[in-house]
Amino acid sequence: MATMESLIGLVNKIQRACTVLGDYGGEGMSLWEALPSVAVVGGQSSGKSSVLESVVGRDFLPRGSGIVTRRPLVLQLHKIADGQQEYAEFLHAPRKKFTDFAAVRKEISDETDRITGKSKQISNVPIHLSIYSPNVVNLTLIDLPGLTKVAVEGQPESIVEDIENMVRSYVEKPNCIILAISPANQDIATSDAIKLGREVDPSGERTFGVLTKLDLMDRGTNAVDVLEGRSYRLQHPWVGIVNRSQADINKNVDMMAARRKEKEYFETSPEYGHLAHKMGSEYLAKLLSQHLETVIRQRIPSIVALINKTIDELNAELDKIGRPIAVDSGAQLYTILEMCRAFDRVFKEHLDGGRPGGDRIYGVFDHQLPAALKKLPFDRHLSLKNVQRIVSEADGYQPHLIAPEQGYRRLIDGSIGYFKGPAEASVDAVHLVLKELVRKSIAATEELKRFPTLQTDIATAANEALERFRDESRKTVNRLVEMESSYLTVEFFRKIHFEQDRTPGDRDRDKDKDKDRDRDRDRDRDRERERERERYERQMGSTGDRYSDAYLKKIGSNVIAYIGMVCDTLKNTIPKAVVYCQVREARKSLLSNFYIQLGKKEKERLSAMLDEDPALMERRETIAKRLELYKSAKDEIEKVAWK
């Protein structure tokens, strides 16, 4: 069975760890919010500070007019054996023990000013104070700024709302026990603490009512109806407190003497004598300690569930943003290679269709290239006027004898030259697609997001490789075009002339020839020689003008027919060359040069490549600290033997 000391001590340890990591509670879900706590709530001058000092048995809180408590004070009380010296420790000064409680008061003021300055502003960053004394019970209380109704000089107009919002952020949590402090010499219906408690805890299950200043009530009046729950009923009993008077405070009356005086007051009071065993600061401390221990027991399963769930989430987030990188060069080189492989996988997925983008390369071949080929200015190049000019220029001083072969070649060369434009445009279009896929792949590679310098280096290396692939691809497609100019397909022109000179009888004979090709081969050769002779006679003698429109049209149509054949060929070979020189190489060796250079880099350069985004490093550090907090909380819980 876990003892009260171990349960409350467990929560104290976790609360201190939360504060160190900046988990103050009060906003959002956190481990702090899951821990049961006791929040002390009251209006200014309600006697809140005096109640805390009575519970502790020490005069240690700052006093003054206006808002004195401007930061939450997490007060952790630890009972020690009788005879041991009592002392205090602050979380922000862990190696310093305070045995002088006047120094504790000054440290609270100084630490408050450290965050809020000398102004009268408030802050939700708590001060952690642990007091070890034989005169206390194990208990943790959170002293919150006193509720106020008006702003005093030096405070912003929003101070009233700011304080209420801070207090509300604590007490509205279901794990918060509310210690509502109300002065007995004021109407309980006007109590700021009770009003707020009613709003956040309508059933009164989490609220403990405390009446202070019972000895200052008007003569002939008492608070028995309140203390016995008739005026305002709560699920827990009301507790009356008699604080030190201002005169006692001024005389530095010992707190232990004040406790004895309080006890005597209730025991001898005709109004409250029958309630004396349930009154006073000592009884309040024991009541709260026992209830807090009970609530902790009830909440442990949900706290453990929250811790386990959060540990899993934090580990998953650490895996997502990446674990810290080792400092030795071998591990750094391995990490860089892993990042490169991850990028390469994503890039190949884009090319192969696993991710969008690769289909745009096919679009270049299926739409852009054919459209560009159709727009080539062959009509202008093969106009009658241009054909006549080129043929006559090719003839020079000696007109052609049979057919203008040099004219044909020049016309074909000029026409084929136009194919270089669409060929190079296809190369450039695919290059742009590949560059865009590199950009998308780097953005989509989760592992790379933490290393902006490495992202830039990989992008630069990949784009440099794509430039080399593009240059080689340009050379290759231009060679394809030049090959078509360097050697013309003679059979094409023979076939053209053969088709033009055929008669219907020839076509019938062709049918017979198909039936018995071997028998007619010799006769066909003779017939071809005869046609050549007749063709020469027609060209030289049947027409008086060798450059008639009909003749030039015939040349132009022959050339355009040949260019059509070349176009069909290049429409197929240009994509093959582009894919071979650019897409295939990008898929196979996009980072090959980068890998070669990587092996030559010094350790310092490798470290520089793995420089991370400072915001990401800060995020990882925060997650790691939170993970450490939750793991340590889990270990602490497991050390305690639950009933």
Side-chain angles (χ1 to χ4, degrees):
M1 174 180 175
T3 63
M4 183 187 302
E5 291 83 357
S6 63
L7 288 172
I8 296 178
L10 168 68
V11 172
N12 288 347
K13 287 181 182 178
I14 299 176
Q15 280 182 333
R16 286 197 296 270
C18 287
T19 299
V20 169
L21 294 181
D23 182 357
Y24 311 131
E27 50 185 56
M29 188 57 191
S30 66
L31 182 54
W32 176 289
E33 303 296 355
L35 301 173
S37 58
V38 180
V40 184
V41 182
Q44 287 187 28
S45 303
S46 63
K48 185 164 58 69
S49 295
S50 295
V51 170
L52 290 174
E53 290 182 330
S54 295
V55 169
V56 174
R58 279 288 186 174
D59 187 353
F60 69 98
L61 290 173
R63 294 183 178 276
S65 60
I67 301 174
V68 179
T69 304
R70 290 182 286 124
R71 288 174 59 184
L73 175 66
V74 180
L75 179 60
Q76 298 180 342
L77 306 180
H78 306 266
K79 186 173 181 60
I80 57 177
D82 292 339
Q84 290 185 332
Q85 185 181 25
E86 57 185 345
Y87 64 93
E89 287 182 341
F90 287 92
L91 184 62
H92 63 267
R95 295 179 179 84
K96 187 175 181 181
K97 288 186 177 182
F98 293 79
T99 55
D100 180 1
F101 282 82
V104 172
R105 181 187 304 112
K106 183 177 184 305
E107 183 65 22
I108 293 174
S109 296
D110 292 345
E111 177 63 14
T112 299
D113 292 342
R114 188 177 67 82
I115 297 295
T116 63
K118 295 292 184 180
S119 67
K120 297 184 179 180
Q121 299 286 344
I122 63 171
S123 169
N124 69 335
V125 180
I127 299 173
H128 269 259
L129 172 62
S130 295
I131 295 179
Y132 299 81
S133 170
N135 303 314
V136 299
V137 295
N138 289 288
L139 180 62
T140 298
L141 302 167
I142 302 175
D143 183 23
L144 297 171
L147 298 165
T148 185
K149 291 183 170 59
V150 293
V152 299
E153 185 177 354
Q155 293 177 337
E157 290 298 324
S158 63
I159 191 70
V160 176
E161 184 180 356
D162 293 343
I163 292 176
E164 181 175 340
N165 289 339
M166 180 194 292
V167 174
R168 188 181 294 274
S169 70
Y170 277 86
V171 299
E172 67 185 0
K173 305 299 182 184
N175 292 318
C176 180
I177 300 165
I178 305 169
L179 189 62
I181 310 294
S182 304
N185 57 353
Q186 294 181 11
D187 187 354
I188 194 68
T190 64
S191 167
D192 295 323
I194 291 298
K195 177 184 176 185
L196 184 59
R198 184 187 294 121
E199 291 177 9
V200 299
D201 179 33
S203 65
E205 293 178 357
R206 297 187 288 115
T207 305
F208 284 80
V210 176
L211 272 185
T212 61
K213 304 183 180 182
L214 290 168
D215 54 330
L216 300 181
M217 296 183 70
D218 294 337
R219 187 180 296 276
T221 62
N222 61 63
V224 173
D225 285 348
V226 176
L227 293 175
E228 291 184 344
R230 289 190 291 275
S231 293
Y232 186 79
R233 180 173 294 280
L234 297 171
Q235 298 292 328
H236 306 286
W238 284 81
V239 178
I241 298 290
V242 175
N243 299 327
R244 288 185 303 168
S245 65
Q246 189 60 48
D248 291 339
I249 294 173
N250 294 338
K251 294 176 183 177
N252 292 322
V253 172
D254 179 72
M255 290 299 302
M256 302 311 295
R259 279 188 183 180
R260 290 192 293 271
K261 185 177 179 181
E262 178 189 47
K263 184 176 181 181
E264 181 182 347
Y265 172 84
F266 283 114
E267 289 177 346
T268 59
S269 169
E271 292 91 354
Y272 310 118
H274 65 293
L275 299 173
H277 64 290
K278 296 191 296 183
M279 298 289 119
S281 56
E282 286 189 78
Y283 173 77
L284 174 64
K286 291 177 182 177
L287 178 66
L288 290 175
S289 181
Q290 291 170 357
H291 183 71
L292 181 59
E293 187 258 351
T294 300
V295 173
I296 292 173
R297 285 185 182 280
Q298 294 171 348
R299 297 289 190 271
I300 284 296
S302 62
I303 293 174
V304 171
L306 171 66
I307 288 174
N308 289 333
K309 178 175 179 288
T310 307
I311 286 175
D312 291 340
E313 291 174 349
L314 293 175
N315 275 320
E317 189 167 359
L318 269 183
D319 290 336
K320 181 179 179 181
I321 67 175
R323 303 280 177 170
I325 302 301
V327 295
D328 64 282
S329 57
Q332 291 176 342
L333 181 59
Y334 176 80
T335 299
I336 293 173
L337 291 174
E338 283 294 300
M339 299 297 106
C340 292
R341 281 191 280 268
F343 158 76
D344 202 44
R345 282 195 299 271
V346 176
F347 181 73
K348 288 176 180 176
E349 287 174 4
H350 277 295
L351 284 180
D352 297 340
R355 295 171 183 261
D359 56 308
R360 290 174 56 198
I361 295 175
Y362 176 71
V364 172
F365 304 144
D366 195 48
H367 302 293
Q368 180 176 323
L369 177 59
L373 293 174
K374 286 181 181 179
K375 293 179 181 178
L376 293 178
F378 295 130
D379 290 344
R380 184 175 71 249
H381 181 66
L382 297 175
S383 65
L384 293 180
K385 184 177 180 180
N386 202 47
V387 170
Q388 180 179 4
R389 180 183 64 80
I390 292 175
V391 169
S392 62
E393 287 177 357
D395 283 348
Y397 74 92
Q398 174 67 63
H400 58 267
L401 300 178
I402 298 178
E405 181 172 328
Q406 291 303 317
Y408 268 108
R409 290 188 179 276
R410 290 192 183 185
L411 287 168
I412 290 172
D413 281 346
S415 299
I416 290 178
Y418 287 117
F419 288 115
K420 288 187 176 181
E424 291 183 352
S426 298
V427 170
D428 292 339
V430 170
H431 176 73
L432 291 176
V433 172
L434 292 174
K435 281 187 69 174
E436 178 64 13
L437 294 185
V438 166
R439 187 193 66 78
K440 285 184 176 180
S441 299
I442 287 177
T445 304
E446 290 293 332
E447 296 89 335
L448 271 178
K449 290 183 178 178
R450 58 189 287 202
F451 303 118
T453 301
L454 184 57
Q455 283 186 33
T456 302
D457 289 345
I458 290 178
T460 300
N463 287 327
E464 287 176 353
L466 292 179
E467 294 286 346
R468 292 195 302 274
F469 302 154
R470 177 178 64 177
D471 292 344
E472 185 60 33
S473 186
R474 274 181 177 171
K475 292 177 183 177
T476 302
V477 297
N478 282 329
R479 286 194 194 105
L480 289 176
V481 175
E482 290 164 2
M483 286 176 190
E484 294 294 339
S485 294
S486 64
Y487 186 79
L488 305 183
T489 306
V490 179
E491 287 299 321
F492 177 86
F493 290 97
R494 288 178 178 170
K495 193 177 294 184
I496 286 179
H497 290 307
F498 181 73
E499 290 296 327
Q500 288 174 347
D501 294 334
R502 290 170 68 188
T503 64
D506 291 333
R507 295 187 181 94
D508 293 337
R509 284 192 295 274
D510 283 344
K511 293 179 183 179
D512 296 334
K513 180 184 66 177
D514 291 338
K515 297 177 182 177
D516 195 356
R517 187 178 302 274
D518 291 337
R519 184 189 63 191
D520 296 337
R521 186 179 295 123
D522 293 337
R523 186 174 56 190
D524 290 340
R525 275 200 294 267
D526 293 339
R527 188 181 299 117
E528 180 65 19
R529 292 192 191 99
E530 181 64 21
R531 286 197 190 95
E532 289 292 341
R533 185 184 61 77
E534 292 174 356
R535 185 183 303 114
Y536 172 75
E537 290 176 354
R538 284 198 303 272
Q539 290 176 345
M540 298 302 294
S542 62
T543 166
D545 185 2
R546 69 173 68 248
Y547 299 125
S548 67
D549 287 354
Y551 183 58
L552 295 174
K553 283 181 181 179
K554 181 179 179 183
I555 294 174
S557 65
N558 289 343
V559 171
I560 198 67
Y562 184 79
I563 293 303
M565 181 194 72
V566 173
C567 183
D568 291 339
T569 300
L570 292 177
K571 195 184 298 182
N572 293 322
T573 56
I574 288 173
K576 293 178 187 293
V578 170
V579 169
Y580 184 85
C581 295
Q582 290 176 266
V583 181
R584 174 179 170 273
E585 286 300 307
R587 196 181 188 286
K588 184 178 70 172
S589 55
L590 185 62
L591 296 178
S592 292
N593 277 14
F594 182 70
Y595 293 145
I596 294 171
Q597 297 301 318
L598 196 60
K600 301 176 183 178
K601 293 189 184 296
E602 299 292 336
K603 180 181 183 300
E604 291 73 15
R605 179 56 186 147
L606 293 177
S607 299
M609 292 175 73
L610 292 174
D611 279 349
E612 295 186 78
D613 183 348
L616 187 64
M617 295 173 67
E618 184 179 350
R619 177 63 181 156
R620 182 191 297 111
E621 185 177 353
T622 301
I623 293 173
K625 287 181 178 179
R626 287 192 65 206
L627 185 59
E628 182 182 354
L629 163 66
Y630 279 81
K631 285 182 176 179
S632 63
K634 184 177 181 180
D635 292 341
E636 292 291 342
I637 291 174
E638 289 175 351
K639 289 177 184 176
V640 180
W642 307 112
K643 183 177 178 180

